[in-house]
Amino acid sequence: MAAAATGGAPRAVWTAPGATHLGAPSPDGRFLSGIHPDSGELLLRDLTTGIQRRIGRKQEPHEFAYFSVFSRDSAHVAYAWSNARRFYELRLADTSTLTARTLFSNEEAGFVQPCAFTPDGKHVLTLLFRKDNISQIALISTSTGEARVLKSLNWVYPKRMDVSPDGKWIVYDNFARDGATQRDLFLLAVDGSREERLVENPADDLFPVFSRDGQFVYFSSDREGGTPGLWRVAVAAPRTAAPELIRPGLGRFLVQGLTAENRLYYGLRVGAASIYQAGFNPASGKLTTGAEAVGEGYAAAWSPDGAQLAWIARQSTENFGTDARFVGVRHVASGETQTYAPKLAHIESLDWTAAAGLRVSGSDGKGRGGVFSLALPGGAAKAVTVEPGAPHTGLIASGSFYAKGKELWRVGAGNEMPVATFPRAITALSVVPDGETVAVAQETTLTIVGGHAESRAASQPIHAIAWTGDGKHLVTAQNDELWCWPRSLASTTRVAKTAAPIGSVSLHPRNHTILFTAGRPRSEVWAIELP
Amino acid sequence: MIWLLAFQLAVPPGLDTYIPTPAANPLTRDRAALGKRLFFDKRLSRDGTVSCGTCHDPAHAFTDTHPRAVGIAGRRGERRTPTVINRAFGQSQFWDGRAATLEDQVLRPIANPDEMDSSPEDAARRTGIAVPQMAAALATYVRTILAGGSPYDRYLAGDRTALDAGALAGLKLFRGKANCALCHVGQNLTDERFHVTGAGRDPSADEGRAAVTKQLADRAAFKTPTLREVARRAPYMHDGSLSTLEDVIELYDRGGPEKGAPANLDPEMQPLKLTPAEKRQLAAFLRALTGVVKDGYDDDSSRSAASTAR
């Protein structure tokens, strides 16, 4: 084990509900940027007073801010803004007047991540994620908004980039080589003249940031195994210095930035959704036992024979990336649990089918979103229905159907037309075990499709639906409550109220044991004094 | 056009401004100029009849019109002449990727009996340029052969009028139903990887990438070519067996060859079920990949290799 260099002890900066880890500290140490938990607008949190100020009033309800970064003089903040047309643009705001303007907007570069200002403030180093599944390291002019692309990367993207204090180098992380899963650190000349590998190691080295004097690059690494720690490497040529450990075991942290006082801010995601199990009588609509926590995760679901249960769990602060989420499967009889990490860039939801086994919806490494089957054991993912160029579809799958926006489609049928189109976006979906009857929710409207169609209004938006094994009843998750309905939807009974929002619900095919997930992880911001 | 102050090299729109270059062979104007002279110098071949530019003809986007390469004395190679546009961004060279660098690649045709049938040493003697300098200069010049600035590039940059309705529909197919973007991705519209598409007169005849890796799985696998300037580069595929873009679209629409598909055919090769209208739209998009091809340090296209007398 390498000896740790001297660094301060980590201290919590912002752990209250609503804290976000997608912002950055201002170099003068006065502000921390973030996202307003209710409005989604960019906020500047005064680190001394705790007062929060909003930037950039939105015009449409679905607009929101995302990544942000301050200029070196702390006078400006550049941030990603999901606009009224539902793609991300780059905005630039004045931190004193709180006024903002659009700097760069191109639907083809549908996601932007500002990473650093150049020292002269004339450019924002920005990652552009294009619709054709490439990412681009670009410098965007703060005066004209013109983008100069230095380097393009197919299907992959750096998790963080920074500009050296002298403005000559960009440091970024990327896969060590084509097909690798671990990242190394690279230096790219701002003038485009050359590129060098700064750190080469079998470990996962990522989230690089320059020290204020430019002599070091700090980064996250798991090179000693276990929980990633904070490391640094000297930048000076010939770049042969060995990295040194600054602080072990910080967790899967996401570097936010440095202040002029050499204080590193980083984000953590803590807590998780819990999986609960309880006896349930559909005839009465009541629980027969108390809810018992059986693990952590979300999207928990019984297998069609009830012998296994599966769930999705998070192992990273980030939402996306092949290392961000995994699938857990537990054999009920033996209690044996296996975890699988399919090579998918994102896993959104999980479902079992009687014929095809375990399926997940998400996106693969080439940006195709859709439904993938997971081979057990092993966990290898195989595309069942994918849509090239649609990496984040927000797609919901159940049985042989999936929902995309307002449309209901049949999985893997090569069909040209949706099975049905609804007036509003589908928010939950469940297929009865007979395989043909589908319960569809559009916010508060619950509809049965197939056989005798019925539609009823629920009291609250429906996030999840589960059928009983005999198809006679269904249970819906509505915020922090579970409700039971007969197939006719003629009545409804409140099953339970929980302490946290419910994410998923599943019913055992024979004994109706109810499985639901509740709660969600939250973000924290921490800081550490660098040596 | 974006100018890199460090090199004064014009990079067409749509391409990265960072051009990967070995530290031992940095881009310089003089070296590129020497490389350009050598590229069109027929003394590189044994009988003085063939230059690099004979097959890599600027008038045809730096390839030729023959299904298979034609060397000295009319000798036929086994494969189609690949274009050298944007090879600066390549991760390996030749259809089978047998050369890791351009410095390695540029000398091999000189020694190939079906191409120049000489040796780098003999070529060096005839030209008066030592072999290492010859390799460095030719590689540098090839790095300056850049294609971009197409309607597609303008569309990506935000000009929503750059593609007409047909080409725009074709782009949607390219990224979606036709699945082209699975391999033809990025600034140079290639993943630089090797795939078994079942193309060719005899789809299993050429061992392809397996000649390099000695892996059975790589048999008949070939590197994904760039699609830039593709409309100017018929015939197509590694053996020039398909005459038109429409022929290529038919191959992929079928999900591979009608008969003789290799056992290791890429699983992504599946019938696409494109309609006749969709095929026309896809072809329209491919034609929208025609833009400007620059070579050397000249910024004036009238002085580019496209009009260089040979």
Side-chain angles (χ1 to χ4, degrees):
Chain A
M1 170 125 180
T6 54
R11 66 177 179 84
V13 175
W14 188 14
T15 59
T20 58
H21 63 266
L22 297 174
S26 60
D28 63 8
R30 183 180 172 194
F31 296 116
L32 191 65
S33 60
I35 304 166
H36 193 281
D38 299 325
S39 72
E41 293 159 338
L42 186 74
L43 65 82
L44 298 187
R45 178 181 172 84
D46 190 308
L47 287 169
T48 306
T49 65
I51 294 173
Q52 298 182 165
R53 298 186 296 168
R54 296 190 203 183
I55 289 180
R57 300 293 169 174
K58 60 186 185 182
Q59 306 299 313
E60 299 288 342
H62 58 261
E63 292 180 277
F64 60 90
Y66 216 59
F67 286 103
S68 54
V69 65
F70 286 87
S71 60
R72 305 275 164 139
D73 61 4
S74 303
H76 296 92
V77 59
Y79 62 100
W81 180 257
S82 180
N83 63 21
R85 295 171 60 199
R86 298 182 188 275
F87 65 89
Y88 291 81
E89 60 188 37
L90 184 66
R91 290 191 169 191
L92 185 66
D94 187 304
T95 56
S96 55
T97 65
L98 305 183
T99 54
R101 64 183 169 93
T102 298
L103 195 58
F104 174 86
S105 178
N106 180 356
E107 191 170 1
E108 282 296 309
F111 187 86
V112 300
Q113 181 179 344
C115 293
F117 278 77
T118 52
D120 60 10
K122 292 182 177 178
H123 295 89
V124 181
L125 175 63
T126 305
L127 268 175
L128 306 179
F129 297 79
R130 280 197 342 202
K131 273 187 174 180
D132 57 353
N133 299 319
I134 71 170
S135 67
Q136 296 179 314
I137 299 173
L139 290 167
I140 295 180
S141 166
T142 53
S143 57
T144 66
E146 182 185 5
R148 178 162 76 90
V149 175
L150 280 100
K151 179 164 181 163
S152 301
L153 300 160
N154 293 350
W155 299 306
V156 301
Y157 59 93
K159 295 199 172 189
R160 199 182 198 290
M161 308 190 294
D162 196 17
V163 181
S164 61
D166 63 7
K168 293 182 177 176
W169 292 97
I170 292 165
V171 64
Y172 71 96
D173 57 59
N174 190 20
F175 291 122
R177 62 191 173 283
D178 193 16
T181 55
Q182 282 79 34
R183 289 172 181 253
D184 283 343
L185 303 184
F186 299 83
L187 288 171
L188 177 64
V190 169
D191 66 5
S193 60
R194 58 198 186 279
E195 183 180 51
E196 298 175 24
R197 197 181 296 251
L198 176 63
V199 169
E200 183 173 14
N201 190 277
D204 208 16
D205 302 313
L206 62 169
F207 294 127
V209 60
F210 277 101
S211 62
R212 302 310 299 179
D213 60 9
Q215 292 188 37
F216 297 97
V217 164
Y218 288 88
F219 61 99
S220 163
S221 178
D222 61 356
R223 59 184 57 213
E224 293 206 324
T227 307
L230 179 65
W231 292 70
R232 76 177 182 186
V233 63
V235 178
R239 314 195 205 289
T240 54
E244 60 177 327
L245 179 63
I246 300 301
R247 189 83 193 182
L250 278 188
R252 288 188 175 272
F253 61 100
L254 190 152
V255 170
Q256 293 183 291
L258 274 172
T259 66
E261 295 173 325
N262 226 26
R263 183 179 302 131
L264 178 84
Y265 283 76
Y266 61 94
L268 289 174
R269 200 183 284 262
V270 299
S274 295
I275 305 170
Y276 297 92
Q277 180 177 309
F280 174 58
N281 180 352
S284 66
K286 299 296 181 187
L287 296 183
T288 57
T289 67
E292 173 195 5
V294 295
E296 287 187 347
Y298 60 102
W302 293 108
S303 62
D305 61 3
Q308 301 174 82
L309 62 94
W311 65 92
I312 301 170
R314 181 191 296 274
Q315 61 179 2
S316 158
T317 298
E318 302 165 283
N319 281 328
F320 294 90
T322 52
D323 57 350
R325 298 179 178 196
F326 64 88
V327 173
V329 178
R330 180 179 300 164
H331 292 260
V332 177
S334 66
E336 183 185 353
T337 297
Q338 301 286 339
T339 59
Y340 302 104
K343 289 184 176 177
L344 294 174
H346 185 61
I347 304 172
E348 181 65 35
S349 66
L350 175 150
D351 181 50
W352 293 88
T353 66
L358 191 56
R359 284 176 170 174
V360 296
S361 68
S363 58
D364 68 7
K366 290 192 172 183
R368 297 180 298 180
V371 179
F372 300 83
S373 66
L374 294 191
L376 299 180
K382 182 181 178 186
V384 179
T385 289
V386 291
E387 297 190 350
H392 313 131
T393 56
L395 181 149
I396 310 163
S398 177
S400 54
F401 294 89
Y402 69 96
K404 184 178 64 175
K406 299 175 181 177
E407 298 170 345
L408 181 68
W409 293 75
R410 193 178 288 274
V411 170
N415 37 339
E416 300 292 328
M417 298 287 289
V419 175
T421 301
F422 294 86
R424 297 186 305 281
I426 297 169
T427 55
L429 174 73
S430 183
V431 179
V432 77
D434 69 13
E436 290 303 318
T437 305
V438 187
V440 171
Q442 309 158 76
E443 293 291 344
T444 58
T445 302
L446 181 62
T447 303
I448 308 296
V449 182
H452 182 63
E454 292 288 348
S455 191
R456 291 287 185 275
S459 57
Q460 299 181 83
I462 297 170
H463 307 296
I465 310 171
W467 286 94
T468 55
D470 58 12
K472 293 180 178 175
H473 295 83
L474 58 147
V475 171
T476 56
Q478 300 165 206
N479 288 340
D480 55 356
E481 296 177 349
L482 293 170
W483 290 75
C484 180
W485 308 69
R487 184 172 179 145
S488 66
L489 304 185
S491 62
T492 185
T493 306
R494 193 172 80 169
V495 177
K497 182 176 175 63
T498 63
I502 297 167
S504 68
V505 60
S506 177
L507 293 169
H508 193 279
R510 286 192 293 277
N511 63 27
H512 308 310
T513 297
I514 198 165
L515 198 65
F516 65 93
T517 59
R520 55 173 66 117
R522 58 188 175 80
S523 297
E524 293 184 347
V525 177
W526 289 66
I528 183 170
E529 309 296 329
L530 298 179
Chain B
M1 206 67 68
I2 296 172
W3 285 78
L4 295 183
L5 295 179
F7 322 117
Q8 297 178 319
L9 177 65
V11 178
L15 299 184
D16 295 350
T17 54
Y18 164 62
I19 296 175
T21 308
N25 188 25
L27 283 170
T28 69
R29 179 182 290 271
D30 290 346
R31 199 172 289 130
L34 172 60
K36 184 170 183 175
R37 285 204 305 276
L38 289 168
F39 193 86
F40 295 104
D41 191 333
K42 295 179 178 177
R43 290 178 296 169
L44 266 59
S45 61
R46 182 175 57 78
D47 62 1
T49 60
V50 170
S51 72
C52 305
T54 303
C55 297
H56 299 286
D57 184 352
H60 298 285
F62 286 88
T63 179
D64 57 22
T65 58
H66 305 295
R68 292 185 295 159
V70 179
I72 67 166
R75 294 175 191 169
R76 293 272 173 181
E78 294 299 317
R79 294 173 183 163
R80 166 100 174 101
T81 302
T83 179
V84 292
I85 58 176
N86 294 344
R87 289 319 301 156
F89 302 106
Q91 294 173 12
S92 63
Q93 310 298 337
F94 293 115
W95 282 105
D96 55 14
R98 64 184 181 275
T101 65
L102 281 173
E103 280 73 10
D104 178 12
Q105 184 273 323
V106 292
L107 296 179
R108 296 200 188 199
I110 297 173
N112 188 322
D114 290 333
E115 297 184 37
M116 296 181 180
D117 194 22
S118 181
S119 70
E121 292 73 21
D122 286 346
R125 209 161 28 247
R126 288 191 291 270
T127 59
I129 307 295
V131 172
Q133 283 71 39
M134 183 186 298
L138 282 167
T140 296
Y141 172 62
V142 172
R143 283 194 181 93
T144 69
I145 301 172
L146 300 171
S150 68
Y152 174 58
D153 294 300
R154 293 198 295 278
Y155 181 81
L156 289 181
D159 179 356
R160 312 309 278 181
T161 66
L163 296 178
D164 62 26
L168 194 56
L171 170 58
K172 188 176 179 187
L173 291 164
F174 186 85
R175 292 174 174 173
K177 183 178 178 182
N179 225 6
C180 312
L182 205 61
C183 300
H184 293 286
V185 65
Q187 60 162 340
N188 200 28
L189 295 155
T190 167
D191 60 359
E192 291 288 327
R193 295 179 184 174
F194 302 87
H195 302 278
V196 182
T197 63
R201 290 179 185 82
D202 178 353
S204 300
D206 190 327
E207 59 184 337
R209 178 66 173 163
V212 179
T213 65
K214 311 302 180 191
Q215 299 291 315
L216 205 57
D218 290 330
R219 184 165 181 82
F222 296 94
K223 191 172 62 187
T224 308
T226 179
L227 290 183
R228 288 195 175 275
E229 306 296 317
V230 69
R232 298 173 56 204
R233 294 195 282 110
Y236 302 105
M237 318 314 280
H238 67 275
D239 62 352
S241 55
L242 298 178
S243 300
T244 66
L245 287 176
E246 285 72 17
D247 292 340
V248 177
I249 291 170
E250 288 297 332
L251 171 78
Y252 286 105
D253 187 52
R254 283 195 305 268
E258 287 179 299
K259 56 183 179 180
N264 58 338
L265 187 71
D266 193 308
E268 297 288 355
M269 292 292 293
Q270 298 288 334
L272 301 174
K273 300 177 183 172
L274 298 174
T275 66
E278 288 173 332
K279 291 174 186 175
R280 287 193 296 274
Q281 291 164 343
L282 199 51
F285 170 69
L286 294 174
R287 292 190 173 91
L289 299 175
T290 302
V292 295
V293 181
K294 302 286 296 181
D295 68 297
Y297 276 68
D298 295 335
D299 65 327
D300 181 349
S301 59
S302 67
R303 289 187 285 115
S304 74
S307 59
T308 300
R310 294 180 297 283

